[in-house]
Amino acid sequence: NVVLEVEMVDPSSYADVIKPRLAAGIDLPDLINVGSNDADMAYINSGLFLDLTEYYDTMAFNLNKRFEEHPTLKSQLTTPDGSIYYIPYIYTTDSNMRTMMLNAQFVEAVGMTMEEITDIDSYTEYLYKVKEMDANGNGDPNDEIPVSFTDFGGVYTLLQHMGIMGDANATSTNSYTMDKNGVATFMPVTEEFKQGVIWLRELFAEGIIDQEAFTMDDTMRMAKQQNPEIPIVGMIYSWTPDADVPNFHEQYEVLPPVLAPDGNRYAAGMTSTSRNEFAITVFCEYPEVAARWADQFYTPEASIQNFWGPIADGCIQKNDDGTYTLLEPPEGVSADDHAWDMSTRDFGPKYIPEGFGDKIILPASTSDAQKLELAKVAEEYAVPPYPTVLHTSEELEEMTMLATDIISYVETTGARWVYEGGIEEEWDDYVAQLNQMGLERLMEIRQAALDRYYGKAAE
């Protein structure tokens, strides 16, 4: 008995439409998607949003069940003062993770097999051979590009092979930070990072990494990967190959994580929680109803429909054995596009647990079916990302100010080291400069939030 009136705002217009209304504190709906980053969360403390703690405790049956199954989830939603203002998207599986993929025909052409590429040395050997030999067989030994990325954040992705993780997105509040057994660790000042950049420098100097990596944009990179005449890129990092190399996607196979110098294998996990899918504003006349309505998103059946489409309209068929079948899309429409048309897909409140994909029968041709199969190769070695911690407004303001210059310095210096070398001679001065810029204080803030997340502060 809930009837919704939904106001859709184009993402490109979000700042122009929503933020002035938040700043003025007027003309707000009952529920609102506040935004996708922590900076927007500053509005949460403005008095415009309800503390949902009591509703979670008394009315959120489904969401409380999820909290019981995953104790850290509540930590991701609870502000330092003990309040909860968020209706989240809960994602606790690695089945959607990106993976490293090699061109299997290149592998065969250079005299190797996928099974032989098991450690950093054999992986490097493959990349060198792609550069030196006519791997695509077109008679030109110089048109192959072993690895193509843009900017330092992209090149940093290669360091996964050495166990170096941390979101390389410069706008992230936890950029380049890993959770190492409860310790917030800034990877660009570790010995592993130093040795990794030395390796990247060697690859770049030998032409293994695309020589335009630091000067081209992503459109140029994709044009190379999607070369319509013949494949030229030896390795991609993707969810599915058809998205990056559509003309030759059948040639690319997932590379299981290789053995790192420390004797372990690593892959970047995708488990996460987007905590701000909805907030209930003080203008809501029936917040109890809104809370009960939102709680319905956290049942398995609702989440399946919110990700793939409704059990109706030719989208999903519910089966007697408890499974669901994703039906073929209309002629001329891809299954992925149809799902985006018919569901909230990667947005909106829902619960994506381990085994989520086991209940849905997907046509083998869909990218989702491919993702589930491809991810199985690397899931065993997935390293969880830095958790979705919460900061106070004061912490967030100080951290953002510090991180802006620190991340810029890391990426500029890192790119220069890969491009022209010099890390061995400059390392100590580099670390000293970062500390002078406030890195130690930045990590104190991140550690405090991590301690709260694990409940260590109370201990």
Side-chain angles (χ1 to χ4, degrees):
N1 298 317
V2 173
V3 178
L4 300 177
E5 294 180 13
V6 181
E7 178 186 357
M8 300 297 291
V9 178
D10 189 289
S12 63
S13 305
Y14 170 77
D16 295 331
V17 175
I18 299 298
K19 289 191 176 182
R21 290 160 63 176
L22 288 169
I26 58 174
D27 192 24
L28 294 176
D30 294 343
L31 294 97
I32 185 172
N33 183 306
V34 186
S36 58
N37 59 66
D38 282 343
D40 291 326
M41 291 296 96
Y43 292 111
I44 286 295
N45 298 317
S46 65
L48 295 174
F49 302 98
L50 297 179
D51 180 357
L52 305 179
T53 307
E54 65 173 293
Y55 303 119
Y56 274 1
D57 290 342
T58 60
M59 299 176 187
F61 170 80
N62 295 302
L63 193 51
N64 270 321
K65 190 173 182 179
R66 307 289 86 89
F67 290 159
E68 292 171 5
E69 294 168 348
H70 306 281
T72 60
L73 289 177
K74 203 165 187 177
S75 297
Q76 298 180 46
L77 303 174
T78 305
T79 61
D81 67 0
S83 302
I84 297 178
Y85 298 96
Y86 314 101
I87 297 170
Y89 176 145
I90 302 169
Y91 199 104
T92 64
T93 176
D94 287 306
S95 61
N96 197 34
M97 63 194 295
R98 296 170 75 183
T99 51
M100 302 284 182
M101 303 178 193
L102 305 185
N103 186 305
Q105 292 191 15
F106 282 20
V107 174
E108 182 179 357
V110 301
M112 301 180 73
T113 66
M114 291 291 290
E115 292 73 22
E116 290 176 338
I117 304 175
T118 59
D119 57 21
I120 200 72
D121 291 333
S122 54
Y123 172 72
T124 303
E125 179 186 356
Y126 162 74
L127 296 178
Y128 269 80
K129 286 185 174 181
V130 170
K131 177 62 180 175
E132 296 165 354
M133 303 172 68
D134 182 19
N136 61 16
N138 68 342
D140 182 359
N142 300 311
D143 67 342
E144 289 85 359
I145 303 172
V147 179
S148 185
F149 281 114
T150 54
D151 66 45
F152 182 72
V155 174
Y156 180 88
T157 300
L158 285 171
L159 297 185
Q160 287 184 31
H161 294 300
M162 296 189 169
I164 302 171
M165 306 290 174
D167 188 357
N169 180 359
T171 62
S172 168
T173 52
N174 295 315
S175 298
Y176 299 100
T177 299
M178 284 183 66
D179 171 12
K180 288 198 166 188
N181 299 317
V183 178
T185 305
F186 191 65
M187 295 310 297
V189 293
T190 63
E191 181 63 24
E192 300 101 304
F193 176 85
K194 179 181 178 182
Q195 295 305 316
V197 171
I198 291 173
W199 176 63
L200 293 178
R201 167 58 191 157
E202 293 172 355
L203 296 183
F204 189 86
E206 295 295 331
I208 306 302
I209 296 174
D210 194 329
Q211 299 297 283
E212 294 183 308
F214 302 109
T215 56
M216 66 180 174
D217 60 20
D218 211 50
T219 300
M220 296 171 63
R221 177 187 67 83
M222 289 300 292
K224 295 178 182 182
Q225 291 189 176
Q226 297 181 0
N227 180 45
E229 300 173 357
I230 194 166
I232 60 175
V233 178
M235 189 218 83
I236 62 173
Y237 181 57
S238 182
W239 281 278
T240 59
D242 60 338
D244 285 69
V245 282
N247 296 316
F248 306 99
H249 62 89
E250 71 281 354
Q251 296 185 19
Y252 287 80
E253 297 181 10
V254 174
L255 174 70
V258 300
L259 202 65
D262 67 1
N264 296 307
R265 302 179 192 274
Y266 301 93
M270 292 291 291
T271 53
S272 187
T273 295
S274 174
R275 55 178 168 258
N276 52 339
E277 294 304 323
F278 280 123
I280 300 178
T281 73
V282 295
F283 300 96
C284 182
E285 188 175 353
Y286 304 105
E288 300 88 352
V289 175
R292 292 202 307 272
W293 174 81
D295 188 53
Q296 300 308 303
F297 282 94
Y298 301 100
T299 63
E301 185 166 285
S303 295
I304 284 173
Q305 294 181 86
N306 285 326
F307 197 76
W308 280 293
I311 304 174
D313 300 326
C315 282
I316 291 179
Q317 171 185 297
K318 185 175 181 179
N319 305 316
D320 293 338
D321 62 359
T323 63
Y324 303 81
T325 299
L326 181 65
L327 303 177
E328 293 286 351
E331 186 176 352
V333 180
S334 72
D336 192 53
D337 286 342
H338 190 50
W340 278 100
D341 287 341
M342 302 302 290
S343 74
T344 58
R345 200 57 169 165
D346 288 347
F347 302 96
K350 59 177 65 71
Y351 173 56
I352 311 295
E354 290 290 344
F356 179 71
D358 296 341
K359 291 182 179 293
I360 185 82
I361 301 170
L362 302 168
S365 60
T366 65
S367 59
D368 283 345
Q370 295 172 31
K371 287 177 187 176
L372 293 174
E373 288 302 311
L374 295 173
K376 290 177 181 177
V377 177
E379 280 180 343
E380 177 183 353
Y381 309 105
V383 177
Y386 192 84
T388 309
V389 299
L390 271 168
H391 299 279
T392 66
S393 296
E394 293 77 16
E395 285 175 340
L396 184 61
E397 181 179 358
E398 184 179 5
M399 183 175 67
T400 302
M401 179 181 65
L402 292 170
T404 298
D405 291 338
I406 287 172
I407 299 304
S408 176
Y409 180 67
V410 165
E411 296 195 339
T412 301
T413 307
R416 179 171 58 78
W417 282 337
V418 174
Y419 191 80
E420 61 185 34
I423 187 171
E424 295 97 330
E425 300 83 5
E426 300 175 18
W427 179 257
D428 290 343
D429 290 340
Y430 158 80
V431 174
Q433 177 64 27
L434 285 172
N435 287 330
Q436 185 176 343
M437 296 171 74
L439 176 61
E440 292 175 338
R441 174 55 187 158
L442 175 66
M443 298 314 294
E444 285 177 3
I445 296 172
R446 290 182 177 172
Q447 185 65 51
L450 192 63
D451 287 345
R452 289 194 298 267
Y453 173 82
Y454 287 121
K456 293 180 180 178
E459 299 171 9

